Amino acid sequence: MRIICIQITTLKCGGFVLAMSICHALCDGTGLVHIIRSIVEMYLGLLEPSVPPCWAREALKPRPLPAIKFPHHEYAEIEDRAGLCQLLAPQNLVVKSFCFTPTTIRTLKSQIMREDGKNCTSFQVLSAMIWRFRTKALNLSPSSQLVRLSFSVNIRSKLKPPLPKGFYGNAIVLTSAICTAAELVERPLSYATKLVQDAIAIVDDEYIRSAIDYLEVHKPIKKPLTATILVSEIFRLGYKNFQITEGEVKYGGILDHMDEIPELVIVSSTDWEGNDIEVRLALPSPAMQEFARQVQALFPGYVSGEARL
């Protein structure tokens, strides 16, 4: 396996496409942006990057005496009582995008304010909505089936002391929200949003150290994904901040891997300003139709999964 591979495709209009394939063991999304920025700066004439890359992997070593102080549900195996593995077999799936404008997001946030009286971020409410709608669309039986929403949290500023600014490696931990399918679909959207907020709030220095120790002790081979959706948020990584030539950068993003990881949900930008948000997911065709119906019911006027709202 190549650690990193770069391909440049020149276009007749004078523009070009920069594509990269990288081993995830080398860096996370934030680290990849740092690597690209460093390459661009040196291409433009700097003798060295403005923020020198920093190895500093020793900051993420397990403790001499492991101290696992949290349950770390994100790594627990969930019993598949609803036959999800068969239901989500790749040959049964269709992939579709749902695009949301700032107006849509404000509508969701207003709903949470009415239900719970609290503010929330775009990621929190969108993740909660996706999790809830997807679970309802799958019509899980029994409804006591546990379901989980997992996502990564950038820990660079959460560690004590924080990681150096130039750290380009993997500086994320997995966190999760978990409940039964019945709790998720029968309670209001604010319930799911609160679970997401709690999963974020718990990530501090002690939680991170506990997670590192958990991985050292248990050495899970891969993330357990049964009854799970894995939300990957990339619309705030900073791809648009590059100035490679005198021209204007138009777009940056990643390819999805839903043929390999059907539990993956990609949350990205549909425009370079990052205003519109695209949610891309895979479901069996009947469940995808039900997911779309729920979106249309919540946002009257929504025409199709590919349309902007």
Side-chain angles (χ1 to χ4, degrees):
M1 176 186 292
R2 293 186 177 95
I3 294 178
I4 186 170
C5 184
I6 302 174
Q7 175 179 300
I8 297 178
T9 303
T10 57
L11 308 176
K12 289 183 178 180
C13 65
F16 62 91
V17 178
L18 171 66
M20 298 183 69
S21 173
I22 197 162
C23 177
H24 211 326
L26 176 65
C27 63
D28 57 17
T30 302
L32 176 59
V33 170
H34 179 64
I35 290 171
I36 297 173
R37 181 177 292 113
S38 298
I39 293 172
V40 169
E41 288 180 343
M42 297 180 73
Y43 169 78
L44 293 176
L46 291 184
L47 296 179
E48 60 182 33
S50 58
V51 179
C54 177
W55 181 254
R57 300 303 198 273
E58 65 279 0
L60 300 177
K61 291 194 304 184
R63 291 172 283 201
L65 294 176
I68 303 171
K69 299 183 179 180
F70 297 86
H72 296 292
H73 298 297
E74 58 272 20
Y75 295 110
E77 293 286 351
I78 295 179
E79 182 184 359
D80 184 9
R81 302 172 61 198
L84 279 162
C85 290
Q86 181 176 354
L87 184 63
L88 296 174
Q91 64 270 20
N92 297 332
L93 303 179
V94 295
V95 178
K96 197 168 188 178
S97 296
F98 294 82
C99 304
F100 303 96
T101 64
T103 301
T104 313
I105 305 301
R106 285 194 294 270
T107 299
L108 282 173
K109 291 180 177 180
S110 297
Q111 179 177 336
I112 302 304
M113 180 61 73
R114 290 194 302 271
E115 293 177 0
D116 197 35
K118 295 181 180 179
N119 293 318
C120 61
T121 67
S122 299
F123 172 79
Q124 291 164 1
V125 72
L126 265 180
S127 297
M129 185 201 74
I130 297 162
W131 186 29
R132 188 167 180 263
F133 281 8
R134 181 182 183 272
T135 301
K136 188 174 182 178
L138 289 170
N139 192 27
L140 300 183
S141 179
S143 60
S144 58
Q145 169 72 55
L146 285 175
V147 290
R148 175 172 53 200
L149 167 70
S150 294
F151 54 93
S152 60
V153 175
N154 189 331
I155 64 173
R156 285 167 171 78
S157 62
K158 294 180 178 292
L159 285 167
K160 296 181 180 178
L163 288 171
K165 189 176 181 181
F167 182 85
Y168 63 87
N170 284 284
I172 54 176
V173 296
L174 201 64
T175 187
S176 65
I178 189 168
C179 64
T180 67
E183 290 172 326
L184 186 60
V185 302
E186 293 172 6
R187 296 192 181 189
L189 180 60
S190 57
Y191 171 75
T193 304
K194 179 64 163 55
L195 292 179
V196 175
Q197 290 174 324
D198 290 345
I200 295 171
I202 199 174
V203 180
D204 58 11
D205 182 76
E206 187 53 47
Y207 181 90
I208 296 165
R209 299 298 176 188
S210 175
I212 293 171
D213 290 346
Y214 182 97
L215 294 173
E216 175 66 15
V217 171
H218 296 283
K219 294 181 170 61
I221 298 175
K222 61 180 181 178
K223 302 182 184 73
L225 293 176
T226 303
T228 299
I229 65 169
L230 181 61
V231 178
S232 179
E233 175 200 16
I234 65 169
F235 66 89
R236 291 187 296 186
L237 284 180
Y239 291 111
K240 68 178 183 179
N241 296 326
F242 301 125
Q243 190 66 35
I244 300 178
T245 66
E246 295 181 358
E248 181 181 353
V249 179
K250 290 295 185 181
Y251 182 74
I254 66 171
L255 298 175
D256 65 56
H257 298 279
M258 290 172 185
D259 55 335
E260 302 173 8
I261 313 174
E263 297 85 0
L264 182 64
V265 176
I266 303 290
V267 181
S268 60
S269 297
T270 62
D271 68 331
W272 197 235
E273 297 303 318
N275 295 319
D276 294 353
I277 296 177
E278 177 189 56
V279 173
R280 189 165 178 83
L281 74 161
L283 282 171
S285 183
M288 186 66 79
Q289 293 175 21
E290 172 58 22
F291 187 97
R293 188 200 64 77
Q294 294 179 75
V295 173
Q296 291 165 354
L298 184 59
F299 306 111
Y302 194 90
V303 178
S304 74
E306 303 296 338
R308 293 173 69 250
L309 186 62

